[in-house]
Amino acid sequence: MALISSILVPASGLVLAPLLVAVINRVKARIAGRQGPPLVQPYRDLAKLLGKGAVYSTTTTWLFRAGPVVSLATALAALLIVPLGGVAAPVHFTGDLVAVAGLFGLGRFLTVVAALDTGSPFEGMGASREVTFAALVEPALFLALASIVATTRMGSLSSAYGAVDAALWSAAAPTLGLVAATLLVVYLVENSRIPVDDPTTHLELTMIHEVMVLDHSGVDLAFIEYGAALKLWLLGMLLVGLVVPVRTANPWLDGAAVIAGLAGLAMVVGLIESTMARLRMNNVPALIVGGGVLAAVAFVVGLNP
Amino acid sequence: MDLFLIAIAGLIATGLAAAALAPWPRLGQRVGQGGTILACGLGLAPAVTTLAGGGRLELLAPWSMVGGSFHLLIDPLAALFLLPIFGVSALGALYGAGYLRHHEGHQSLGPVWLFLDLLIASMAMVVAAHDGLLFLLSWEVMAIAPFFLVAFDDDKAPVRDAAWTYLIATHMGTAFLFVMFFLLAEEGGSMDFDTIPAAIQAAPHLASICFVLAVVGLGSKAGFVPMHVWLPEAHPVAPSHVSALMSGVMIKTGIYGLVRLLTLTGEPAAWWSWLLIGLGAASGIFGVVFALAQGDLKRLLAYSSMENIGIILLGLGVGVGGVANHAPLLACLGFAGGLLHVVNHALFKSLLFLGAGAVQHAAHTLNLEELGGLLKRMPFSGAAFFVGVAAIVGLVPLNGFVSEFLILVSAFLPLATGHGSAGVAGVTVLVTLGLISGLAAACFARAFATVYLGTPRTAPAAAAHEVGWEMAGAMGVLACACVAIGLGAPWAVHLLVAPVAVATGLSMATVAATLDAAAGWLATAILAFAIALALAATLWLLRRTLQARAGVERQATWGCGYGAPTPRMQYTASSFAQPLTHLFHPLLHTHVEEEGVAAPLPAAARFASHAPDLFRDLLFNPLFRGVERLMLGLRWLQHGNIHLYILYIVVTLLVLLMSAVG
């Protein structure tokens, strides 16, 4: 049973992650009064891209080709470590949260370096913004995870998220609530969503993530799109696993609750994207640091329960 | 111990021989290179056996020096520091001969080898010395030898200035060490390290005084903020293999001294831990922010050394807190992380400095804005430099990640186990280390990309060529070492058991139990990373298969349809860093000189920015100006009249005589 459920965690992500993108797009379309693409559209896009050829810039080197491959591989490996709420991941050990951060860091670094490999000013701009915001997000993420570790008194992600149940919420609601708010900010920044980055803008000058991958095409682009979907799923598990404290002894039930929660998160993201404008670049650091401060407050609140 | 002494003697003999052979530069270089590598190899043997076996080598020889004893001790802690001293030095020598080749016949290379060998020998002696006087003597040789190496290009005024800055900074630090050792000797009756615990027991207030003196004195060697001002001056102007040794290895003797003192002063006070964490946070953040703003590759690397010293201090701070609070888990993990980062930084920082030397060799500049596109011209050096960059940023699965993992886990764990104050310290470390590693990623993505990626920004960069086998070989070995410690993390952690036991004063069994657990976590983490690498390889092959069907073509980089892009359209290093330098403007005070674009048909425009060192401008410059003004008041003493000087001597002797008799 434990084995099956632990395989369920990465498998569900592998299959369902592109669906999150579809849900976000559907919500945005409905609010804008459009029908919107069908929910399988992201899967179709991936299949189409996998069959396409590629154009490589003559400026680029092996690093450009390593970027998409490594960023997808790190997201896949992270899928083995991040738990689906109360359902433990196949791999867990003390300090695994540091390893997950390390995997994300590797993926991001290679994406940034691959972007800079093209020598394009647009991609340089996107890379510059990416590293700026990532540097500020990292402490916020660590603070949020630290508060979870301190509240649950557990040293690994799977055991800490396993301990977040209704009883813990009623005992430490302010701490967990603030942490959830921080994780939402981290979620929006790390996944390059509004109000930080607009994934649908038509102007290279204003983009972050999309502009970094301008020169990737075909299979590479499919890897990047799938990796981005997995990142939506992975960071979503960190947030939803905290907010949905369904901890029955049945892993299928627990897992289903978190997956439903992920769909809900995608709708929230769609709602945010429909109702908010992108922030000015200069104001984004304030948002991220503000998110970090919430987690710091959460930690201080958690010190004296 | 015999091998160690032979190694020291061999180094000095090699240096003298190379200096004597200066008229025949080719032969002198060969002798210097071969002799240094051989002697370092001999020196490595006792270090490795002590570290692996956990024993200790000791020598107490008669010495005619008043108040001192010739007491050498190589225990696992000393052995851990000897490893990079001899290992990196041997590679530095291998590289150095190739690096200096184009100077042959133009400039005397004898002194370079002499002072390099003296530097290596004195660093080894500092680590092995177990007597205050012997330590100070070695420390002084280690302080002076680099002065001549930094001043290698002494026909340039900035180089001379840098050498003087270095000399003054290092001696200000040494002054504090003198005070510390004499205070201890007065209480303990001898300069021997073995008398220090008794001296502290007799006068417990000395412990904290000595600790603060050591932090200032040793910290000015290691580059703690604000005593770091000499690093960004001295490291960039020295020959690259010397910079590698100074930045990768020499500054760690300051860390060694601090850890050694901690083993002698008994139980630390809790606030020591906070002082180390505070200094570590400040050094780390200042270091990386300053590094981010630099336009010169070696200057950037020098500031990043300060950042890594900060990371080491964070680890040691958690460790000291663990010892003070009787939390062996934290003590072991903190010290293990800090000490492993000492070795790791020695490896990747030397690699990066050697890489910077290769860039200078190939493109004749280190100005980031004049480089670019070197990876195609120097594939090997570029790949090695990339490994160094990935390691220093702490990317998985390289060695930088391993030490940062240990420190981060030592910061997370007290939260899980519920240590009150250790938890607050832990969160401080987490936030700082998170910020530092994020900024370091930005800093080194910028450094690597502007030098090696894109298209060459100038003609010399376009004409760059790969370096010779000696330089490439040294960089290759260091890159392999970074990978090996990363993938072999569990074994590396096992090797730390004996040094950590010495540093924490805990029993081998306790330390082994804790570090075994940590090695287990790391083994699982490495497994996950190995899966990621295997997946990446699979995806690479999958892509090849898919693309074989659909076809691949090569085109110019997408420029929104613009067909004639030039290298000048690339994003520059300063533009890349702008969002962060803007954010940290209160620390940086970046100076900008700008003649912007004004009219509709603009003439030539100009933009330049540079980030001066805040502490140099606001702290040390006013301080030294004040001292100078004060000293000017004493100028009347300097008459230039020789009779008066003789009178001064006579009066001094009389006063001394009277005080001795009375």
Side-chain angles (χ1 to χ4, degrees):
Chain A
M1 192 68 182
L3 184 72
I4 298 171
S5 66
S6 71
I7 291 173
L8 171 90
V9 176
S12 59
L14 279 178
V15 177
L16 297 177
L19 205 57
L20 291 185
V21 183
V23 171
I24 294 174
N25 289 337
R26 172 63 67 90
V27 171
K28 285 168 73 174
R30 281 293 156 84
I31 292 179
R34 290 182 285 117
Q35 180 72 30
L39 287 175
V40 291
Q41 190 60 43
Y43 297 93
R44 285 186 189 157
D45 288 347
L46 288 176
K48 183 186 70 185
L49 285 171
L50 283 176
K52 291 237 174 207
V55 183
Y56 286 107
S57 158
T58 45
T59 314
T60 57
T61 62
W62 54 272
L63 273 169
F64 181 79
R65 299 189 179 219
V69 166
V70 173
S71 64
L72 177 56
T74 51
L76 289 170
L79 217 49
L80 293 173
I81 307 181
V82 180
L84 188 65
V87 192
V91 178
H92 45 88
F93 52 95
T94 306
D96 54 4
L97 25 89
V98 179
V100 171
L103 283 169
F104 282 147
L106 176 64
R108 171 166 41 236
F109 195 79
L110 263 289
T111 309
V112 165
V113 172
L116 291 167
D117 199 9
T118 60
S120 149
F122 296 127
E123 293 180 49
M125 227 176 265
S128 161
R129 291 165 185 165
E130 172 84 5
V131 295
T132 303
F133 300 149
L136 299 174
V137 162
E138 191 122 337
L141 178 64
F142 276 155
L143 257 177
L145 293 175
S147 288
I148 296 176
V149 166
T151 319
T152 58
R153 299 243 185 274
M154 292 290 177
S156 81
L157 281 175
S158 288
S159 51
Y161 275 81
V164 180
D165 51 11
L168 192 76
W169 263 96
S170 63
T175 307
L176 295 179
L178 287 166
V179 169
T182 305
L183 284 175
L184 180 64
V185 172
V186 169
Y187 187 78
L188 294 174
V189 180
E190 283 276 338
N191 289 309
S192 313
R193 310 304 307 193
I194 287 176
V196 176
D197 185 12
D198 187 352
T200 56
T201 173
H202 65 283
L203 191 62
E204 289 91 339
L205 280 172
T206 61
M207 297 192 272
I208 303 175
H209 186 262
E210 292 303 307
V211 77
M212 279 204 299
V213 301
L214 265 186
D215 262 83
H216 289 285
S217 52
V219 184
D220 287 316
L221 193 57
F223 286 176
I224 289 168
E225 299 280 337
Y226 187 48
L230 286 179
K231 213 170 167 189
L232 272 175
W233 184 271
L234 284 163
L235 286 160
M237 285 202 283
L238 288 183
L239 172 56
V240 175
L242 183 72
V243 179
V244 180
V246 180
R247 300 291 183 269
T248 62
N250 185 343
W252 301 97
L253 213 59
D254 290 4
V258 175
I259 291 174
L262 281 166
L265 175 64
M267 289 181 202
V268 171
V269 172
L271 210 61
I272 293 175
E273 303 223 321
S274 305
T275 52
M276 276 186 82
R278 196 174 57 75
L279 286 175
R280 281 181 61 200
M281 288 287 175
N282 291 348
N283 295 340
V284 173
L287 172 76
I288 305 174
V289 174
V293 169
L294 289 182
V297 173
F299 180 75
V300 175
V301 171
L303 273 184
N304 295 309
Chain B
M1 192 50 93
D2 289 340
L3 276 178
F4 178 79
L5 291 175
I6 295 172
I8 299 289
L11 282 169
I12 297 173
T14 304
L16 291 173
L21 290 171
W24 303 277
R26 190 154 288 233
L27 180 65
Q29 281 238 82
R30 279 276 164 257
V31 169
Q33 184 188 33
T36 309
I37 293 175
L38 194 68
C40 287
L42 288 177
L44 269 178
V48 170
T49 51
T50 313
L51 196 59
R56 43 193 272 155
L57 305 167
E58 198 162 6
L59 174 80
L60 188 55
W63 200 25
S64 54
M65 183 69 89
V66 182
S69 56
F70 197 84
H71 191 175
L72 295 177
L73 174 79
I74 302 181
D75 61 359
L77 180 62
L80 185 73
F81 281 82
L82 284 177
L83 225 50
I85 289 178
F86 284 126
V88 174
S89 297
L91 294 170
L94 175 66
Y95 177 100
Y99 181 77
L100 294 172
R101 186 138 300 136
H102 68 278
H103 289 284
E104 281 174 8
H106 303 292
Q107 201 166 353
S108 174
L109 300 179
V112 179
W113 286 102
L114 173 63
F115 290 113
L116 184 73
D117 285 328
L118 279 180
L119 171 63
I120 303 168
S122 57
M123 288 193 297
M125 284 298 286
V126 162
V127 169
H130 208 63
D131 176 88
L133 209 57
L134 189 59
F135 181 92
L136 285 174
L137 206 68
S138 315
W139 188 264
E140 194 55 27
V141 177
M142 185 183 77
I144 291 174
F147 170 75
F148 296 100
L149 294 168
V150 170
F152 177 64
D153 284 325
D154 57 4
D155 50 334
K156 300 189 186 97
V159 173
R160 292 197 297 273
D161 283 348
W164 286 119
T165 308
Y166 162 73
L167 199 67
I168 293 166
T170 181
H171 280 96
M172 276 172 59
T174 312
F176 286 85
L177 294 185
F178 268 98
V179 176
M180 181 189 85
F181 278 116
F182 286 131
L183 277 178
L184 286 169
E186 202 179 32
E187 195 61 45
S190 154
M191 296 284 270
D192 198 298
F193 283 3
D194 284 340
T195 62
I196 292 179
I200 300 271
Q201 218 139 46
H205 65 279
L206 268 185
S208 287
I209 297 175
C210 286
F211 178 73
V212 172
L213 287 170
V215 165
V216 180
L218 299 165
S220 60
K221 177 67 68 181
F224 301 173
V225 79
M227 291 92 82
H228 66 272
V229 283
W230 66 272
L231 277 102
E233 303 300 324
H235 292 181
V237 297
S240 283
H241 61 299
V242 175
S243 318
L245 273 192
M246 288 175 73
S247 201
V249 186
M250 187 186 79
I251 60 173
K252 307 302 170 32
T253 56
I255 299 290
Y256 166 77
L258 199 59
V259 177
R260 177 62 73 193
L261 184 77
L262 286 169
T263 66
L264 299 168
T265 49
E267 188 162 305
W271 64 267
W272 295 9
S273 151
W274 281 106
L275 179 66
L276 293 181
I277 291 177
L279 273 175
S283 305
I285 292 174
F286 274 115
V288 71
V289 170
F290 280 126
L292 198 56
Q294 299 308 314
D296 178 285
L297 183 57
K298 280 172 89 175
R299 217 176 146 84
L300 180 155
L301 292 176
Y303 273 118
S304 130
S305 289
M306 181 184 166
E307 168 224 329
N308 281 277
I309 288 290
I311 295 177
I312 294 169
L313 278 180
L314 290 176
L316 295 184
V318 173
V320 169
V323 176
N325 294 327
H326 303 287
L329 187 64
L330 300 188
C332 292
L333 287 177
F335 270 106
L339 290 178
L340 185 58
H341 204 73
V342 166
V343 177
N344 288 343
H345 180 246
L347 294 172
F348 49 64
K349 186 48 66 66
S350 315
L351 171 55
L352 291 174
F353 264 114
L354 298 186
V359 169
Q360 187 165 35
H361 205 267
H364 310 292
T365 179
L366 285 171
N367 184 349
L368 295 178
E369 313 290 15
E370 293 173 9
L371 293 161
L374 291 189
L375 189 57
K376 288 195 166 160
R377 289 151 187 85
M378 306 165 70
F380 185 85
S381 304
F385 198 81
F386 183 73
V387 172
V389 160
I392 202 169
V393 170
L395 291 190
V396 302
L398 297 171
N399 60 349
F401 173 79
V402 180
S403 37
E404 288 185 18
F405 175 88
L406 291 173
I407 298 173
L408 283 169
V409 169
S410 77
F412 263 116
L413 274 188
L415 301 169
T417 50
H419 287 284
S421 68
V424 179
V427 166
T428 316
V429 171
L430 279 180
V431 174
T432 335
L433 202 48
L435 184 63
I436 291 174
S437 66
L439 291 172
C443 173
F444 280 97
R446 164 182 183 263
F448 178 77
T450 1
V451 174
Y452 276 105
L453 302 180
T455 45
R457 290 174 173 81
T458 54
H465 52 87
E466 187 58 278
V467 295
W469 70 270
E470 288 157 315
M471 294 168 73
M475 292 189 284
V477 172
L478 285 167
C480 289
C482 289
V483 177
I485 293 187
L487 291 176
W491 292 282
V493 170
H494 279 300
L495 276 184
L496 287 171
V497 171
V500 170
V502 175
T504 54
L506 295 165
S507 74
M508 286 282 277
T510 317
V511 179
T514 308
L515 291 188
D516 274 347
W521 306 328
L522 273 167
T524 322
I526 302 286
L527 181 73
F529 306 150
I531 292 175
L533 290 183
L535 282 169
T538 317
L539 290 172
W540 192 292
L541 293 176
L542 174 69
R543 177 176 60 188
R544 175 175 289 179
T545 323
L546 289 169
Q547 284 180 345
R549 244 179 279 156
V552 169
E553 51 179 306
R554 295 190 73 91
Q555 288 281 334
T557 296
W558 169 244
C560 293
Y562 185 68
T566 74
R568 292 176 51 121
M569 290 177 185
Q570 290 177 93
Y571 225 43
T572 61
S574 45
S575 312
F576 187 82
Q578 193 273 339
L580 281 167
T581 50
H582 176 76
L583 210 59
F584 287 96
H585 183 74
L587 298 185
L588 281 167
H589 294 284
T590 313
H591 284 250
V592 172
E593 295 161 39
E594 193 176 4
E595 286 164 31
V597 180
L601 293 172
R606 217 175 70 77
F607 177 91
S609 69
H610 61 107
D613 195 291
L614 184 69
F615 293 94
R616 195 183 164 97
D617 282 7
L618 295 185
L619 181 64
F620 287 101
N621 282 347
L623 180 73
F624 279 105
R625 267 200 296 277
V627 170
E628 191 183 7
R629 248 199 314 277
L630 221 67
M631 291 297 154
L632 281 179
L634 292 174
R635 247 177 120 172
W636 56 270
L637 280 169
Q638 301 282 358
H639 250 277
N641 187 338
I642 197 142
H643 298 95
L644 265 177
Y645 289 123
I646 295 174
L647 181 68
Y648 292 159
I649 296 171
V650 171
V651 170
T652 314
L653 280 176
L654 268 178
V655 172
L656 284 176
L657 204 63
M658 283 193 314
S659 74
V661 173

